[in-house]
Amino acid sequence: MRITLRDRIALAAALLAPFVVALALAPVRSRMTSANLALILVVVVVAVAALGSRTAGVVTALSAAAWFDFFLTRPYQRFTIADSDDIITTLLLLAVGVAVSQLAAHARTLKLVTITDAAHLARIHETASMVQAGASPYAVVDQVRLQLVEILGLRGCRFEHGTLLGRHPRLEQDGMLSAARAHWDLDKDGWPGEEIELRASVGGRYIGRFMMQPEPGTPPPLQARLVAVSLADHVGAALDTAGPVLDR
């Protein structure tokens, strides 16, 4: 799995931020309750979780609990706790930190899904509008070809009109991949190392197909693959009403 720069920054913050904050609180620890000190560290956990991944959030919670113990509970500067109430506070800090970090990461994921859904919907709407307006089939095919490259992360894509040749792996209507009359586990095996066909049909009748050259590695999520299937269906409708398009 590729680690982004943002994830690296979040992991660094997960390790350093609780240490810095706990160290800064050490001079005033005698004038504040353990609960208030712990709440300040929970804020640090939430901030890092909002920036990075779930992993970063959990690491921050563990780091916060450790430095809370070391700097803010007696005996100080030791990873031991003498007071039973401080033990409970430390455990609660860890539990709340982990839970809140998961919620923060989940909220960020939901925001990303919403943005992605809106972008996908816009592509489908744009292509459907072109078909309904009677746009040139050349334009519709080119539009969808470029969209497929973008949403599926392809190296290349071309359109073939007419007779089916060869037995290529095929992206099906349910977003799954079939190869040699068997289902291919995309999530486990990734894209196959060959061209993949995506058929453009109307009323169950084959019109043409996109031949896609995927990048090696993890395929796009099911949502993106279903959008690709929907776009290909719009091409089928455009070609059915406008006649054949030359191979591209």
Side-chain angles (χ1 to χ4, degrees):
M1 181 178 65
R2 188 174 69 87
I3 300 178
T4 65
L5 177 61
R6 176 173 176 162
D7 289 335
R8 290 191 178 95
I9 294 173
L11 286 173
L15 295 172
L16 295 177
F19 169 79
V20 172
V21 172
L23 181 62
L25 290 172
V28 299
R29 62 195 172 196
S30 61
R31 299 196 296 272
M32 299 179 66
T33 65
S34 294
N36 287 338
L37 294 169
L39 284 174
I40 293 173
L41 288 173
V42 167
V43 173
V44 176
V45 175
V46 174
V48 175
L51 171 68
S53 63
R54 284 181 169 84
T55 300
V58 171
V59 171
T60 313
L62 292 170
S63 178
W67 295 121
F68 175 78
D69 173 9
F70 188 81
F71 286 114
L72 305 177
T73 66
R74 297 178 185 273
Y76 300 128
Q77 280 76 59
R78 293 176 60 187
F79 286 110
T80 57
I81 303 176
D83 192 301
S84 60
D85 287 341
D86 285 341
I87 293 175
I88 294 174
T89 301
T90 303
L91 293 175
L92 287 174
L93 168 61
L94 178 60
V96 171
V98 170
V100 170
S101 71
Q102 300 307 294
L103 290 174
H106 183 60
R108 192 178 61 256
T109 300
L110 288 178
K111 180 180 179 182
L112 177 61
V113 169
T114 301
I115 294 172
T116 303
D117 283 347
H120 288 335
L121 182 61
R123 290 186 179 96
I124 294 173
H125 176 72
E126 182 181 1
T127 304
S129 297
M130 289 180 65
V131 175
Q132 292 173 0
S136 162
Y138 290 101
V140 176
V141 168
D142 283 342
Q143 169 88 355
V144 171
R145 181 174 57 81
L146 294 174
Q147 290 176 329
L148 293 177
V149 169
E150 182 179 356
I151 65 175
L152 299 181
L154 304 175
R155 289 187 291 109
C157 180
R158 70 181 192 279
F159 184 80
E160 294 181 349
H161 184 277
T163 306
L164 286 168
L165 296 174
R167 297 178 61 183
H168 299 275
R170 182 168 69 251
L171 190 62
E172 302 285 3
Q173 288 291 312
D174 60 0
M176 299 294 106
L177 195 72
S178 62
R181 299 183 180 179
H183 282 287
W184 181 282
D185 191 338
L186 277 171
D187 294 326
K188 178 182 177 182
D189 302 320
W191 289 120
E194 57 182 303
E195 285 190 320
I196 299 169
E197 72 172 35
L198 172 59
R199 296 185 179 181
S201 305
V202 59
R205 181 166 55 87
Y206 170 78
I207 303 293
R209 64 182 178 180
F210 290 95
M211 298 302 298
M212 306 182 296
Q213 298 93 47
E215 290 282 5
T218 305
L222 177 61
Q223 180 190 57
R225 303 196 302 266
L226 290 174
V227 171
V229 170
S230 177
L231 292 171
D233 287 342
H234 285 308
V235 169
L239 295 179
D240 185 55
T241 57
V245 177
L246 298 177
D247 294 354
R248 291 271 178 119

